[in-house]
Structures are given as C-alpha cells and as structure tokens.
Amino acid sequence: MSGISRGKKPPRVGDGKIFRRMLIGIVLLFVALLIVAPLLVIGVEAFAKGFAVYRDTIANPDTLHAIGLTVFTALIAVPVNTAFGIAAAWSITKFDFWGKRFLLVVIEIPFSVSPIVAGVAYLFVYGLQGVFGPTLDDWGVKILFAIPGIVLASMFVTAPFVARELIPLMQAQGRDLEEASTSLGASGWRTFFSVTLPNVKWALLYGVVLCNARVMGEFGAVSVVSGNIRGQTNTLPLHIELLYHDYQATGAFAAASILALIAVFTIIAKVALERQGAGRVRRSALIAQPAEKTP
C-alpha cells in the first residue's frame, strides 16, 4: 500500500480516450438515428407542400375534432389522476394500514400491463358481453366506442405517474412536519395546503407534465375502446393512423407535428422542473433511508 500514491485515483472503466470517444460517438449516433431523424422527417414532410396545405390540413373538421377530443380527454384524465396520485401518496406515506404494500403494487400495474391488454380488459368489463355491459345497456349508458371509454382507458394507463413521483419524496420527508402542524392545532386540510403541498409542488408538477404527455399520446388502449370512428371517437394519435392508411401522408405528418411539438414542450418543462428538484426524488429517498436507520 505504501507504493501507491495517495493523490492518484484508481482507474475507471472507460478512462481511455479512444474508448470514451467511441462510446460517446455510438450514443450520439443512436440519438441521431432513433430520435432526431424521425422528428426532422415529421417537420420536413408536414411542410413539404407549403404552409397553406399544412394550415388547411390542420383546419380539417376531422383533425380539429381529434385535437379537441384529445384535449378534452386530458382535461378530465389529468386532474383525476392528479387527485388520485396525491391521495394515494398521502395515504401510503402518512398512515400505516393493512394492505399498504399491496396498494403500491396495484398502483404500478398500468406500467406492467400492455395498453392493448388494458383495452381488451375494458371490453370484458363494460362491453355488451362483459360484466357490467348488459346492465349499462339497459340503463342507456354507453361506455365503449364512446368518449367515456376513451377517458377511462386514458386514466388507466396514466394512473401511476403522479403517485410514483410523490411517494418517494414524501417518504424521504417523513411525517415530522405534519405531526408538528397538527400538534399546534392546524386542521388536516390546513396542514396539507400549508405544509405538505409546498414541499412536494415541483414533484407534483413533474408528474402532471408526464401524465399529460402520456394522455395526449396514448394509442394502444384507446384504439381498442374507441371504435376508431372518424370525426367522433378518434383522438389525435388514432387520426394520424387513419390518415396514413388513407394514403394522406401530408395530413398524417401535419397532425403528427402537433404531437411532436407537445413532446418538445414536455421535454422543456421536464428539464425546467428537474432543475427545481423534481425527478430526483428516488435518489433522495434512497439516500435518506439509510440515514434514518443509523442511531
């Protein structure tokens, strides 16, 4: 040990200049081919026939309806999943109850189940041959191949986004501040709005941004439950596929450019929120947990 210089750092994997440059080059090549190139193609093809054609394509009634339905779905699914995520995170991190671990597993199910499978499951629950289908039909309530089915499917696939951002952060923060607030006479709601919510606001916004992006870009589950009815139950991703199958490439790329813009704004918002501390809550939780166990 005496022969090893104290100031000399041990070698790391990839310290070689040639290997490092090769690795960076491979990563940049994959990014260029898999991410940058498709986005550039969308932009070029969308305006290939001029801005007037692009404008007329976007102004098409079916396209406008698809955009409106996508926004309408997001306006319902995102707030509902935000409320669900806050309630789930609050329950799991601030209370001890039987079945807590099972609830954590259930929240993660939409990430492990294919959206197509989720859509088929909704068919067996709300379809005419499903569990509740005949009863709903007798009452005149239509879930599938209508807007309610689209909203439900979108809510399913995006349910975990807010909760999985809040839970690790709230676990790392512990319960001390809430207990101190209640001991001073604050009500539960005042404790939530004055203590809990300010401490998780960036992680909450981070989860909302990701949830909104997924709702607007969801295809698999919605394609099963919507019926793909042009001008009625087509969201923007489904409308893009319909235009492409109708050999309307310019229209498909024009509609796809809207989703591409949403993706770009989502990335910008994601980076901005990460600079405020969101998105790193899991690492903070992992660091905080061992510290809590030390005497």
Side-chain angles (χ1 to χ4, degrees), residues 269-294:
K270 180 176 178 288
V271 172
L273 291 172
E274 284 177 344
R275 290 183 177 180
Q276 298 294 336
R280 294 190 291 267
V281 294
R282 289 174 186 78
R283 185 174 63 185
S284 301
L286 292 176
I287 294 174
Q289 285 176 357
E292 293 174 357
K293 297 179 181 179
T294 56

Side-chain angles (χ1 to χ4, degrees), residues 51-268:
F51 179 78
V53 176
Y54 177 86
R55 180 194 58 204
D56 293 340
T57 302
I58 298 299
N60 182 276
D62 291 338
T63 303
L64 291 178
H65 183 275
I67 295 173
L69 181 56
T70 303
V71 173
F72 178 78
T73 302
L75 290 176
I76 297 177
V78 174
V80 171
N81 280 337
T82 299
F84 166 75
I86 294 173
W90 177 277
S91 301
I92 290 172
T93 59
K94 306 303 179 183
F95 302 101
D96 294 319
F97 56 91
W98 182 87
K100 179 190 290 189
R101 293 188 177 181
F102 177 73
L103 179 58
L104 280 169
V105 173
V106 172
I107 291 174
E108 294 288 336
I109 285 178
F111 280 137
S112 59
V113 175
S114 169
I116 296 292
V117 175
V120 173
Y122 272 92
L123 289 178
F124 284 104
V125 175
Y126 298 107
L128 291 178
Q129 306 299 324
V131 178
F132 303 115
T135 302
L136 293 173
D137 186 59
D138 292 339
W139 291 348
V141 178
K142 190 174 183 180
I143 300 295
L144 297 182
F145 312 125
I147 294 177
I150 296 173
V151 174
L152 287 175
S154 300
M155 287 172 55
F156 176 86
V157 298
T158 58
F161 279 94
V162 175
R164 75 195 312 257
E165 291 298 327
L166 293 181
I167 290 173
L169 177 58
M170 295 174 74
Q171 284 177 335
Q173 291 175 346
R175 312 177 186 177
D176 294 341
L177 294 177
E178 284 81 6
E179 291 176 353
S181 177
T182 54
S183 66
L184 293 175
S187 64
W189 285 112
R190 184 168 184 179
T191 298
F192 173 75
F193 286 108
S194 301
V195 178
T196 304
L197 191 59
N199 289 332
V200 300
K201 59 182 179 181
W202 297 118
L204 176 61
L205 289 174
Y206 188 83
V208 169
V209 168
L210 296 179
C211 180
N212 180 73
R214 179 61 190 276
V215 168
M216 291 194 169
E218 174 55 30
F219 179 86
V222 173
S223 66
V224 176
V225 302
S226 68
N228 295 343
I229 305 174
R230 188 193 297 266
Q232 296 184 31
T233 62
N234 261 1
T235 58
L236 192 53
L238 300 181
H239 186 63
I240 294 170
E241 183 198 33
L242 187 62
L243 290 174
Y244 184 77
H245 287 167
D246 288 345
Y247 302 101
Q248 300 180 30
T250 302
F253 280 111
S257 67
I258 299 176
L259 290 181
L261 286 175
I262 293 174
V264 171
F265 285 123
T266 299
I267 293 173
I268 294 173

